[in-house]
mmCIF file of all heavy atoms in Angstrom:
data_model
loop_
_atom_site.group_PDB
_atom_site.id
_atom_site.type_symbol
_atom_site.label_atom_id
_atom_site.label_comp_id
_atom_site.label_asym_id
_atom_site.label_seq_id
_atom_site.Cartn_x
_atom_site.Cartn_y
_atom_site.Cartn_z
ATOM 1 N N LEU B 244 178.326 265.598 161.523
ATOM 2 C CA LEU B 244 177.437 264.422 161.756
ATOM 3 C C LEU B 244 178.294 263.270 162.288
ATOM 4 O O LEU B 244 179.340 262.948 161.685
ATOM 5 C CB LEU B 244 176.611 264.088 160.625
ATOM 6 C CG LEU B 244 175.613 265.028 160.059
ATOM 7 C CD1 LEU B 244 175.113 264.691 158.716
ATOM 8 C CD2 LEU B 244 174.494 265.289 161.087
ATOM 9 N N LEU B 245 177.897 262.689 163.386
ATOM 10 C CA LEU B 245 178.499 261.505 163.774
ATOM 11 C C LEU B 245 178.407 260.280 162.716
ATOM 12 O O LEU B 245 179.270 259.426 162.632
ATOM 13 C CB LEU B 245 177.872 260.935 165.077
ATOM 14 C CG LEU B 245 177.948 261.842 166.358
ATOM 15 C CD1 LEU B 245 177.097 261.343 167.479
ATOM 16 C CD2 LEU B 245 179.462 261.945 166.643
ATOM 17 N N ALA B 246 177.341 260.299 161.985
ATOM 18 C CA ALA B 246 177.147 259.348 160.903
ATOM 19 C C ALA B 246 178.207 259.394 159.853
ATOM 20 O O ALA B 246 178.358 258.450 159.117
ATOM 21 C CB ALA B 246 175.680 259.449 160.278
ATOM 22 N N LYS B 247 178.928 260.415 159.760
ATOM 23 C CA LYS B 247 180.074 260.534 158.747
ATOM 24 C C LYS B 247 181.107 259.508 159.050
ATOM 25 O O LYS B 247 181.675 258.995 158.192
ATOM 26 C CB LYS B 247 180.555 262.004 158.900
ATOM 27 C CG LYS B 247 181.788 262.175 157.922
ATOM 28 C CD LYS B 247 182.304 263.614 158.289
ATOM 29 C CE LYS B 247 183.719 263.668 157.654
ATOM 30 N NZ LYS B 247 184.290 264.986 158.219
ATOM 31 N N GLY B 248 181.296 259.232 160.324
ATOM 32 C CA GLY B 248 182.271 258.191 160.764
ATOM 33 C C GLY B 248 183.697 258.439 160.293
ATOM 34 O O GLY B 248 184.238 259.677 160.383
ATOM 35 N N THR B 249 184.302 257.529 159.646
ATOM 36 C CA THR B 249 185.652 257.612 159.158
ATOM 37 C C THR B 249 185.765 257.860 157.647
ATOM 38 O O THR B 249 186.845 257.686 157.013
ATOM 39 C CB THR B 249 186.461 256.364 159.482
ATOM 40 O OG1 THR B 249 185.704 255.255 158.979
ATOM 41 C CG2 THR B 249 186.656 256.109 160.911
ATOM 42 N N ARG B 250 184.592 258.294 157.062
ATOM 43 C CA ARG B 250 184.587 258.494 155.681
ATOM 44 C C ARG B 250 185.588 259.529 155.328
ATOM 45 O O ARG B 250 185.777 260.556 156.032
ATOM 46 C CB ARG B 250 183.213 258.883 155.168
ATOM 47 C CG ARG B 250 182.235 257.768 155.138
ATOM 48 C CD ARG B 250 180.799 258.400 154.763
ATOM 49 N NE ARG B 250 179.809 257.306 154.607
ATOM 50 C CZ ARG B 250 179.156 256.714 155.590
ATOM 51 N NH1 ARG B 250 179.479 257.089 156.831
ATOM 52 N NH2 ARG B 250 178.199 255.793 155.282
ATOM 53 N N THR B 251 186.057 259.500 154.051
ATOM 54 C CA THR B 251 186.881 260.650 153.524
ATOM 55 C C THR B 251 186.008 261.808 153.129
ATOM 56 O O THR B 251 184.755 261.586 153.115
ATOM 57 C CB THR B 251 187.677 260.176 152.303
ATOM 58 O OG1 THR B 251 186.684 259.886 151.245
ATOM 59 C CG2 THR B 251 188.535 258.934 152.578
ATOM 60 N N VAL B 252 186.646 262.923 152.894
ATOM 61 C CA VAL B 252 185.663 264.123 152.569
ATOM 62 C C VAL B 252 184.919 263.788 151.307
ATOM 63 O O VAL B 252 183.826 264.332 151.130
ATOM 64 C CB VAL B 252 186.570 265.396 152.496
ATOM 65 C CG1 VAL B 252 186.996 265.810 153.915
ATOM 66 C CG2 VAL B 252 187.643 265.274 151.616
ATOM 67 N N HIS B 253 185.550 263.139 150.375
ATOM 68 C CA HIS B 253 184.883 262.809 149.079
ATOM 69 C C HIS B 253 183.722 261.857 149.333
ATOM 70 O O HIS B 253 182.593 261.992 148.742
ATOM 71 C CB HIS B 253 185.853 262.388 148.078
ATOM 72 C CG HIS B 253 186.617 263.513 147.426
ATOM 73 N ND1 HIS B 253 187.904 263.845 147.931
ATOM 74 C CD2 HIS B 253 186.399 264.355 146.428
ATOM 75 C CE1 HIS B 253 188.349 264.854 147.256
ATOM 76 N NE2 HIS B 253 187.519 265.203 146.308
ATOM 77 N N GLN B 254 184.055 260.828 150.139
ATOM 78 C CA GLN B 254 182.995 259.790 150.463
ATOM 79 C C GLN B 254 181.833 260.556 151.092
ATOM 80 O O GLN B 254 180.655 260.334 150.886
ATOM 81 C CB GLN B 254 183.488 258.732 151.337
ATOM 82 C CG GLN B 254 184.373 257.676 150.594
ATOM 83 C CD GLN B 254 185.056 256.763 151.602
ATOM 84 O OE1 GLN B 254 185.307 257.117 152.801
ATOM 85 N NE2 GLN B 254 185.294 255.506 151.191
ATOM 86 N N ALA B 255 182.175 261.402 152.092
ATOM 87 C CA ALA B 255 181.082 262.121 152.805
ATOM 88 C C ALA B 255 180.295 263.101 151.848
ATOM 89 O O ALA B 255 179.088 263.244 152.013
ATOM 90 C CB ALA B 255 181.693 262.976 153.972
ATOM 91 N N HIS B 256 180.939 263.606 150.907
ATOM 92 C CA HIS B 256 180.291 264.468 149.827
ATOM 93 C C HIS B 256 179.240 263.632 149.054
ATOM 94 O O HIS B 256 178.188 264.125 148.714
ATOM 95 C CB HIS B 256 181.301 265.151 149.028
ATOM 96 C CG HIS B 256 180.677 265.889 147.889
ATOM 97 N ND1 HIS B 256 180.143 267.137 148.064
ATOM 98 C CD2 HIS B 256 180.624 265.617 146.529
ATOM 99 C CE1 HIS B 256 179.663 267.557 146.870
ATOM 100 N NE2 HIS B 256 179.982 266.645 145.957
ATOM 101 N N PHE B 257 179.728 262.481 148.744
ATOM 102 C CA PHE B 257 178.830 261.687 147.758
ATOM 103 C C PHE B 257 177.756 260.853 148.576
ATOM 104 O O PHE B 257 176.713 260.545 148.041
ATOM 105 C CB PHE B 257 179.667 260.704 146.964
ATOM 106 C CG PHE B 257 180.348 261.445 145.895
ATOM 107 C CD1 PHE B 257 181.724 261.464 145.768
ATOM 108 C CD2 PHE B 257 179.524 261.932 144.805
ATOM 109 C CE1 PHE B 257 182.385 262.116 144.659
ATOM 110 C CE2 PHE B 257 180.235 262.524 143.754
ATOM 111 C CZ PHE B 257 181.534 262.736 143.707
ATOM 112 N N ASP B 258 177.988 260.545 149.895
ATOM 113 C CA ASP B 258 177.015 259.689 150.540
ATOM 114 C C ASP B 258 175.974 260.547 151.145
ATOM 115 O O ASP B 258 176.184 261.524 151.929
ATOM 116 C CB ASP B 258 177.780 258.891 151.680
ATOM 117 C CG ASP B 258 178.594 257.780 151.137
ATOM 118 O OD1 ASP B 258 178.597 257.544 149.925
ATOM 119 O OD2 ASP B 258 179.409 257.289 151.930
ATOM 120 N N ALA B 259 174.717 260.074 150.839
ATOM 121 C CA ALA B 259 173.493 260.733 151.425
ATOM 122 C C ALA B 259 173.497 260.418 152.887
ATOM 123 O O ALA B 259 173.857 259.324 153.336
ATOM 124 C CB ALA B 259 172.294 260.297 150.665
ATOM 125 N N ASP B 260 172.834 261.325 153.667
ATOM 126 C CA ASP B 260 172.765 261.099 155.030
ATOM 127 C C ASP B 260 171.477 260.264 155.259
ATOM 128 O O ASP B 260 170.333 260.784 155.136
ATOM 129 C CB ASP B 260 172.540 262.442 155.798
ATOM 130 C CG ASP B 260 172.224 262.222 157.296
ATOM 131 O OD1 ASP B 260 172.405 261.093 157.820
ATOM 132 O OD2 ASP B 260 171.871 263.247 157.961
ATOM 133 N N ASN B 261 171.590 258.976 155.533
ATOM 134 C CA ASN B 261 170.437 258.153 155.712
ATOM 135 C C ASN B 261 170.128 257.864 157.263
ATOM 136 O O ASN B 261 169.303 257.029 157.599
ATOM 137 C CB ASN B 261 170.682 256.740 155.061
ATOM 138 C CG ASN B 261 170.703 256.922 153.555
ATOM 139 O OD1 ASN B 261 169.888 257.736 152.939
ATOM 140 N ND2 ASN B 261 171.659 256.179 152.878
ATOM 141 N N SER B 262 170.856 258.519 158.088
ATOM 142 C CA SER B 262 170.734 258.394 159.543
ATOM 143 C C SER B 262 169.554 259.176 160.021
ATOM 144 O O SER B 262 169.078 260.106 159.241
ATOM 145 C CB SER B 262 172.037 258.719 160.273
ATOM 146 O OG SER B 262 172.101 260.116 160.271
ATOM 147 N N ASN B 298 173.931 265.608 152.487
ATOM 148 C CA ASN B 298 174.871 264.463 152.458
ATOM 149 C C ASN B 298 175.569 264.449 153.794
ATOM 150 O O ASN B 298 175.124 265.188 154.790
ATOM 151 C CB ASN B 298 175.841 264.658 151.302
ATOM 152 C CG ASN B 298 176.506 266.034 151.408
ATOM 153 O OD1 ASN B 298 176.542 266.660 152.419
ATOM 154 N ND2 ASN B 298 177.140 266.386 150.379
ATOM 155 N N LEU B 299 176.658 263.663 153.975
ATOM 156 C CA LEU B 299 177.368 263.454 155.216
ATOM 157 C C LEU B 299 178.531 264.459 155.438
ATOM 158 O O LEU B 299 179.127 264.443 156.489
ATOM 159 C CB LEU B 299 177.788 262.046 155.423
ATOM 160 C CG LEU B 299 176.743 260.949 155.590
ATOM 161 C CD1 LEU B 299 177.260 259.614 155.399
ATOM 162 C CD2 LEU B 299 175.994 261.305 156.912
ATOM 163 N N ALA B 300 178.584 265.464 154.490
ATOM 164 C CA ALA B 300 179.785 266.321 154.683
ATOM 165 C C ALA B 300 179.503 267.340 155.794
ATOM 166 O O ALA B 300 178.373 267.593 156.144
ATOM 167 C CB ALA B 300 179.929 267.173 153.390
ATOM 168 N N ASP B 301 180.602 267.824 156.308
ATOM 169 C CA ASP B 301 180.413 268.905 157.304
ATOM 170 C C ASP B 301 179.889 270.167 156.649
ATOM 171 O O ASP B 301 180.046 270.347 155.409
ATOM 172 C CB ASP B 301 181.756 269.238 157.867
ATOM 173 C CG ASP B 301 182.433 268.075 158.666
ATOM 174 O OD1 ASP B 301 181.661 267.104 158.884
ATOM 175 O OD2 ASP B 301 183.639 268.069 158.913
#
Side-chain angles (χ1 to χ4, degrees):
Chain B
L244 294 172
L245 294 173
K247 178 184 157 192
T249 55
R250 284 174 176 83
T251 64
V252 290
H253 283 92
Q254 285 170 329
H256 173 73
F257 282 115
D258 288 352
D260 176 13
N261 295 320
S262 74
N298 57 18
L299 290 170
D301 298 345

